Amino acid sequence: MTKKALIIGGGIAGPVTAMALQRAGLDVEVFEAYDRGSEGVGAFLTIAVNGLEALRVLDLREQVAALGMDSPRMVIVNGRGRRLATLTQPSRTVKRSDLYRTLRDEAVRRGVRVTYGRRLTDASITGDGVRAVFADGSEAEGDLLVGADGLRSRTRALIDPGAPRARHVGLLNTGGFATGVTVPGEPGTSYFVFGRRCFFGYLIHPDGQVWWFANPPSPREPTREELAAITPAQWRVRLEELFRDDTGPMLDIVRATGDIPPAWNTYDFPSVPRWFNERMVIVGDAAHATSPSAGQGASMAIEDAVTLGRCLRDVPVPREAFAAFERLRRERVERVVAQGRRNGSGKAPGVAGAFVRDLALPVIMRYAMKPGAMSWLYDHRISWDEPVPAPAH
C-alpha cells in the first residue's frame, strides 16, 4: 500500500520535498498556511551550485535556470571602495516569488495536491500514522508528516516542545529593485560592500535593473509590529544616513528604488536537538535555519528534500528513515550554519573590528579560492540511485 505524506508548508522546501517523495513512490499533499500562493513575496536569493545540482536530481534545474540570472562572481569591497576579495563560484540568483511560483506550479503539474488556508495547530501519532489538525478545524491523516514550515515551525514544536528558539544574528534585512540608474559593474556579478555602518549587496540584471539588499545592524531583536510600523519613506531616510559616508553606488540605488519593503529580522539556529519522532520530521529552515550570509538556505532545503526522498524510498519504517536522513544531513547543515554566522559577524563589527576584518578578509578569501578549500560545501552531490542502508540494530 502506498504511504501518504502530509507536507506542512508551501514555500521552497515544501514543493521540492513533495516532488522528491512523489518520486520515491509516496502519495503527497502540501498544506499551506496562507490562503494564496507566494507571488510577489520576498526579494531574491541565490542558489549555489550544490543546490542547483540537487535540483537536477529531480529534473528541476532547467526550470530554475530559466529564472533570474547567473551570478558566478563575487566582488567584496569596504566602505572606502578598496577591493578586499574576488571569488568565483557557479550560482543562480532568482527572485524569491518567481522561485516559489515555479516550484509550486511544477509540483501541481506532476500531480501534487496543494491545499491553501491550512495552518497546522496540532498533530498526533495514531496507531499506524499521524493526524494533523488545522486552525480552521479541518483534519488530515497520513502515514507520516513532514514539517517544511520554516523558521517558526509548528511541527518542530510538536516534535519537541522544548526546542530552542531561532537565534537573532543582530542584523535586519531589506532590499528591492532599482530602475533607471547606472551603477558600476557588470551583469551577474554580486557586489558586496562592507560599509562603515551597514552591509550592502547588489547585482545588475542583464535588463539593467539593479537588485539589492542591505543589512542594517540591530543588536536588539525588534518585533514584527515595530518593523511594520517603519514606513518606506523612513527606511529610505535611514538607509541614506547609514551609507552617507561610504564610497559606492548605494545612495543612488536606494533613491532609484520605488518601493522599499518593510525590513525583517535575520536568524539562525545553533542546533535543533530533535528532528523527528515516530511519524514526523522537519526539513529546511524548520530544522537548521542558516543566516542569509551563508548563501545556502535554499540549497540546504533542496538537498534535504532529495535526501529525505531517498531515505523514505529505501527504509520502510518512517522513524528509521528519519534517523537515516538525520545521519546523512546533520553534520553538513550545522557546518553551514556555523559558516553563515562567521560570514555575518563582519557586517557590523565597529571601527576596530572593521580594521581587523579588512586585514584578514583578503587572506581568508585567498584560502577559500585554493583548490579544494570549499569543496565540502560546493562540490556536494547527491546520487538518487545510491541506496540508503538501513540502520544497524
Side-chain angles (χ1 to χ4, degrees):
M1 183 176 176
T2 301
K3 288 188 174 71
K4 180 175 181 180
L6 313 178
I7 298 175
I8 308 302
I12 294 171
V16 180
T17 300
M19 287 183 275
L21 269 57
Q22 182 189 60
R23 182 168 178 178
L26 281 75
D27 180 26
V28 292
E29 184 169 2
V30 175
F31 297 89
E32 167 56 43
Y34 295 100
D35 59 3
R36 59 180 177 83
S38 298
E39 289 82 358
V41 175
F44 58 90
L45 56 85
T46 295
I47 305 176
V49 63
N50 51 291
L52 293 171
E53 288 304 308
L55 285 171
R56 188 191 300 279
V57 174
L58 299 176
D59 300 319
L60 293 168
R61 177 164 179 160
E62 295 309 312
Q63 289 96 319
V64 173
L67 307 175
M69 59 185 136
D70 280 328
S71 48
R73 187 166 178 261
M74 293 186 290
V75 174
I76 304 172
V77 302
N78 66 16
R80 298 185 300 279
R82 175 191 162 203
R83 183 172 295 200
L84 302 176
T86 300
L87 184 65
T88 301
Q89 190 59 243
S91 61
R92 189 86 184 171
T93 299
V94 301
K95 290 184 178 180
R96 186 180 292 269
S97 60
D98 288 346
L99 183 61
Y100 282 149
R101 185 186 64 253
T102 297
L103 294 174
R104 180 208 58 200
D105 288 355
E106 180 60 17
V108 170
R109 190 191 70 79
R110 295 184 186 188
V112 172
R113 296 183 301 282
V114 180
T115 303
Y116 294 100
R118 296 291 190 272
R119 182 176 297 279
L120 183 72
T121 57
D122 198 9
S124 58
I125 297 170
T126 62
D128 56 358
V130 62
R131 179 182 296 112
V133 180
F134 302 100
D136 65 355
S138 63
E139 298 182 358
E141 293 192 1
D143 296 281
L144 57 99
L145 183 149
V146 182
D149 44 353
L151 193 73
R152 294 174 177 82
S153 170
R154 177 60 181 157
T155 311
R156 182 179 61 241
L158 291 169
I159 291 171
D160 180 8
R165 291 184 67 248
R167 177 174 59 183
H168 188 246
V169 300
L171 298 169
L172 304 179
N173 207 332
T174 189
F177 304 95
T179 56
V181 61
T182 300
V183 299
E186 56 187 25
T189 295
S190 300
Y191 295 93
F192 297 133
V193 183
F194 282 99
R196 289 171 172 82
R197 303 180 187 87
C198 183
F199 187 82
F200 191 90
Y202 72 94
L203 301 91
I204 305 168
H205 192 276
D207 68 4
Q209 189 178 52
V210 180
W211 300 12
W212 65 274
F213 70 91
N215 292 141
S218 179
R220 185 183 69 85
E221 178 184 355
T223 66
R224 287 182 176 182
E225 292 74 19
E226 288 173 326
L227 290 173
I230 303 174
T231 67
Q234 289 171 325
W235 269 119
R236 196 180 304 276
V237 170
R238 182 173 178 184
L239 290 169
E240 290 188 3
E241 172 67 21
L242 288 169
F243 294 115
R244 66 178 182 181
D245 297 323
D246 288 326
T247 298
M250 292 78 77
L251 294 179
D252 291 338
I253 292 172
V254 170
R255 290 165 182 163
T257 302
D259 180 34
I260 299 177
W264 58 95
N265 289 303
T266 56
Y267 300 91
D268 68 8
F269 275 111
S271 181
V272 175
R274 293 185 61 194
W275 286 11
F276 65 90
N277 61 21
E278 285 77 8
R279 295 282 175 170
M280 294 183 267
V281 66
I282 48 178
V283 298
D285 282 356
H288 48 71
T290 179
S291 162
S293 300
Q296 283 284 337
S299 295
M300 289 298 104
I302 295 162
E303 287 184 5
D304 278 359
V306 177
T307 303
L308 182 61
R310 291 176 57 228
C311 292
L312 286 167
R313 177 197 65 192
D314 295 343
V315 183
V317 179
R319 184 182 182 90
E320 293 182 357
F322 300 158
F325 166 72
E326 180 177 0
R327 185 177 69 250
L328 291 171
R329 295 297 295 160
R330 181 179 283 276
E331 181 179 358
R332 173 168 172 77
V333 298
E334 291 192 351
R335 189 175 181 185
V336 171
V337 171
Q339 179 78 32
R341 191 157 185 86
R342 286 193 297 271
N343 292 351
S345 66
K347 290 184 174 180
V351 175
F355 177 77
V356 173
R357 179 203 62 214
D358 290 359
L359 289 176
L361 191 59
V363 177
I364 294 169
M365 286 299 174
R366 281 197 296 272
Y367 166 78
M369 286 300 293
K370 288 183 178 180
M374 296 299 290
S375 60
W376 69 270
L377 180 57
Y378 296 115
D379 292 351
H380 184 77
R381 299 292 182 268
I382 303 170
S383 171
W384 183 262
D385 295 330
E386 182 180 350
V388 176
H393 292 286

